[in-house]
Amino acid sequence: MSRFEELDKLVKDGMMDKEAADDIKEKIMKKALEEKNIIMPTITEHMRKGKLQYTCMIPASKSRNGKRHQITGKTREECEKKWAAEMYDIEENGKETAPETISDLMIEWMRKKKDVKKQTLSGYHSHFENHIKNAPFADMKIKDIRLQDCKDMIAYLIEKKDGTAGMGYNTVRHIKSEISMALDYAVANEYINANYMSTVKINQGLCDTTRARKSKAWTDEELQELCSAALISWEQKQMYRHSATLMAMIFTGCRAGEFCALEWSDFDEKRRTLTINKTLTSYRDYEADKHIQTLSTPKTPDSVRVLELTDEAVFWLKEVKRRQIERNIKTTHIVSSSSGHYANQRDLNVRFEVFCKANGLEYSPTHTARRTYASVLYDGGVPVSEIARDLGHKKITTTMNSYYKPRTSRTLTSQKNAVFVTAVTAGTKTLKTL
């Protein structure tokens, strides 16, 4: 473990203040640079957009990629610290050669991508390994990439290969975005001058739709059947313990990861509230080459919320607890395995499918519960702003565009019939008076 890693561990363990650790790091870096006779260059100050800015240069002979590089800071001290940190890193880890191919660029970009969650980075790695690395585009030199090459890459993703269907729109969109971000990184590091992928349009009509699952929300009739089956199967056979979990998810509208992360301490039965402040995530750590399951922060800042629970939500949460007690499962988790450990979204989907098929019900994945929560409330006249708050959405357009699903309803059909009958009758009366 390096000296810097030791300091970071002390900070993480609460044994040292971060500012104190940063001061020690700065002294280590300056001493190492002085010993190698690397002298701080001249710092200049100038006005930019009405604000004072401090800059200094790392010459091409000293830079990581062999190109002259500018360091910028809001204060002279910040500029000095940034320069020392970059020069120390270059001296310790050596210079890097600029990536030549798209494949090289993607690998370097992902390695240095530190501003996203690890599970997001895992998705980037998965797309690269499965869809980018073996494409002809990946072997092209980045300095030779032009607009048509980027268009050809998108066409490659969409086209059918070896008799199999091409990719769906959302997958193509995500891959295009990742390649574009890598090319933006290349521009920022002066490897290339332009990112042509950013201007490419995806023809959604050409993308594959055969594997797309039609999203839905359960109807009132289906909800009644689910409730009945969940109660009867447990009372009569002590089977399908997680059917209560499914019902609790429907009546709280939580994301599956959020619900799987819940502790019983998050449920306040007296105040009838449920606190959402974490999510259980599973992903592949490609650098460590292992599967990770861990708690993480919720999807967005607005996802941190306290739900005011309905009678149904309270009932099914208590039902989840009752079943754990009857099975003698000792756990702090609301959603747990038989051994009391975390159960994840994949576990739940398997159990929900078994439950639905055993009771002759149509199975839908866990996210259907969240869409059902939104749809039932909206159909019942609850303001969309309140539904969006419950779901942790910042914008009501997200709620309406992605989560509200019209549900089959005889009442609405009858209402439409009545409207048309009135219109036709009125027209007939008009004709008779002419």
Side-chain angles (χ1 to χ4, degrees):
M1 183 182 294
S2 70
R3 180 66 175 133
F4 283 9
E5 289 174 332
E6 290 175 359
L7 291 168
D8 289 338
K9 189 175 187 307
L10 289 173
V11 172
K12 184 178 180 180
D13 294 341
M15 299 175 66
M16 179 180 284
D17 183 78
K18 186 178 185 302
E19 290 184 4
D22 288 342
D23 287 340
I24 295 173
K25 288 180 183 179
E26 187 177 355
K27 290 176 181 178
I28 292 173
M29 289 188 292
K30 286 185 176 180
K31 183 179 179 181
L33 294 175
E34 286 172 2
E35 289 175 351
K36 293 185 179 183
N37 200 29
I38 299 174
I39 302 171
M40 177 77 207
T42 301
I43 294 178
T44 60
E45 59 180 62
H46 57 273
M47 298 297 292
R48 181 176 175 81
K49 295 182 179 180
K51 295 182 179 180
L52 194 60
Q53 191 177 70
Y54 296 82
T55 63
C56 68
M57 300 301 299
I58 292 180
S61 61
K62 294 288 186 182
S63 72
R64 186 182 301 281
N65 59 9
K67 293 185 179 181
R68 200 162 172 260
H69 179 54
Q70 180 175 276
I71 300 293
T72 305
K74 295 179 181 178
T75 64
R76 184 176 294 273
E77 182 185 23
E78 181 184 353
C79 189
E80 290 179 357
K81 286 183 177 180
K82 283 185 175 181
W83 172 84
E86 185 157 337
M87 286 306 304
Y88 179 81
D89 185 53
I90 291 171
E91 290 298 316
E92 288 293 306
N93 301 313
K95 296 181 181 180
E96 293 180 352
T97 56
E100 291 190 4
T101 66
I102 285 290
S103 186
D104 296 334
L105 175 66
M106 293 291 295
I107 291 171
E108 179 177 314
W109 169 70
M110 289 187 291
R111 178 166 55 82
K112 294 188 175 181
K113 189 71 173 172
K114 305 296 184 184
D115 58 346
V116 295
K117 294 180 179 180
K118 288 187 176 181
Q119 55 266 37
T120 302
L121 188 59
S122 176
Y124 297 165
H125 276 283
S126 177
H127 283 158
F128 173 73
E129 293 291 331
N130 295 316
H131 306 303
I132 300 174
K133 186 171 71 172
N134 296 320
F137 183 74
D139 294 326
M140 292 191 68
K141 292 185 176 181
I142 58 174
K143 63 182 180 62
D144 296 333
I145 297 292
R146 294 296 179 266
L147 179 59
Q148 187 58 49
D149 300 312
C150 295
K151 290 181 176 179
D152 290 344
M153 176 58 184
I154 298 304
Y156 169 85
L157 296 173
I158 293 174
E159 288 171 359
K160 295 181 178 180
K161 304 173 188 68
D162 301 324
T164 61
M167 295 177 196
Y169 173 71
N170 284 330
T171 304
V172 176
R173 179 171 59 87
H174 284 303
I175 294 173
K176 172 187 176 293
S177 174
E178 289 151 19
I179 295 174
S180 187
M181 285 190 286
L183 290 171
D184 279 340
Y185 165 84
V187 172
N189 284 275
E190 300 180 343
Y191 298 153
I192 56 176
N193 296 321
N195 171 12
Y196 294 105
M197 184 62 83
S198 63
T199 64
V200 176
K201 305 295 182 185
I202 303 171
N203 187 333
Q204 189 170 353
L206 296 178
C207 296
D208 178 58
T209 59
T210 59
R211 289 170 292 186
R213 185 189 294 272
K214 186 177 180 181
S215 58
K216 61 166 284 185
W218 282 301
T219 64
D220 290 348
E221 292 80 3
E222 289 173 321
L223 270 180
Q224 291 164 11
E225 290 176 351
L226 285 168
C227 283
S228 178
L231 290 170
I232 293 173
S233 60
W234 183 258
E235 292 302 326
Q236 294 184 355
K237 304 176 183 178
Q238 290 278 296
M239 293 180 68
Y240 314 116
R241 174 170 65 89
H242 281 300
S243 61
T245 305
L246 171 61
M247 302 312 302
M249 288 176 64
I250 292 173
F251 292 112
T252 57
C254 293
R255 297 179 179 91
E258 293 172 344
F259 206 81
C260 290
L262 288 171
E263 302 286 331
W264 282 113
S265 58
D266 296 319
F267 173 41
D268 190 327
E269 185 180 346
K270 185 176 180 181
R271 295 183 179 179
R272 299 166 64 85
T273 61
L274 190 66
T275 300
I276 313 295
N277 56 19
K278 53 191 173 295
T279 187
L280 183 68
T281 181
S282 300
Y283 62 92
R284 183 77 186 171
D285 187 329
Y286 280 81
E287 291 184 359
D289 192 26
K290 63 180 180 180
H291 184 79
I292 302 293
Q293 179 168 280
T294 185
L295 291 177
S296 180
T297 55
K299 188 174 182 179
T300 67
D302 292 281
S303 298
V304 177
R305 59 202 188 276
V306 177
L307 293 176
E308 295 179 359
L309 300 173
T310 60
D311 292 343
E312 287 291 331
V314 171
F315 170 82
W316 285 106
L317 283 166
K318 290 169 68 176
E319 180 67 10
V320 170
K321 184 66 172 178
R322 181 173 76 93
R323 295 183 184 189
Q324 285 182 346
I325 293 171
E326 291 181 5
R327 280 281 176 88
N328 196 31
I329 299 173
K330 294 178 173 58
T331 182
T332 61
H333 311 312
I334 289 181
V335 183
S336 73
S337 64
S338 297
S339 59
H341 297 111
Y342 283 114
N344 59 37
Q345 182 176 349
R346 182 175 296 180
D347 297 331
L348 291 185
N349 274 325
V350 170
R351 285 159 176 75
F352 292 167
E353 184 171 12
V354 170
F355 161 70
C356 288
K357 287 184 176 179
N359 288 278
L361 305 171
E362 182 182 355
Y363 162 73
S364 286
T366 52
H367 218 56
T368 306
R370 188 165 161 81
R371 288 191 292 267
T372 300
Y373 181 88
S375 302
V376 170
L377 291 183
Y378 185 77
D379 287 345
V382 175
V384 67
S385 58
E386 178 69 11
I387 301 170
R389 188 188 69 80
D390 284 354
L391 295 179
H393 292 160
K394 185 176 183 179
K395 299 178 180 179
I396 61 174
T397 50
T398 303
T399 306
M400 293 307 298
N401 294 341
S402 300
Y403 287 85
Y404 174 72
K405 301 296 175 183
R407 302 178 303 145
T408 304
S409 173
R410 295 177 182 175
T411 303
L412 287 179
T413 303
S414 300
Q415 187 177 347
K416 291 175 185 177
N417 284 333
V419 171
F420 278 117
V421 167
T422 302
V424 171
T425 302
T428 303
K429 289 180 178 178
T430 302
L431 287 171
K432 287 181 179 179
T433 59
L434 294 178

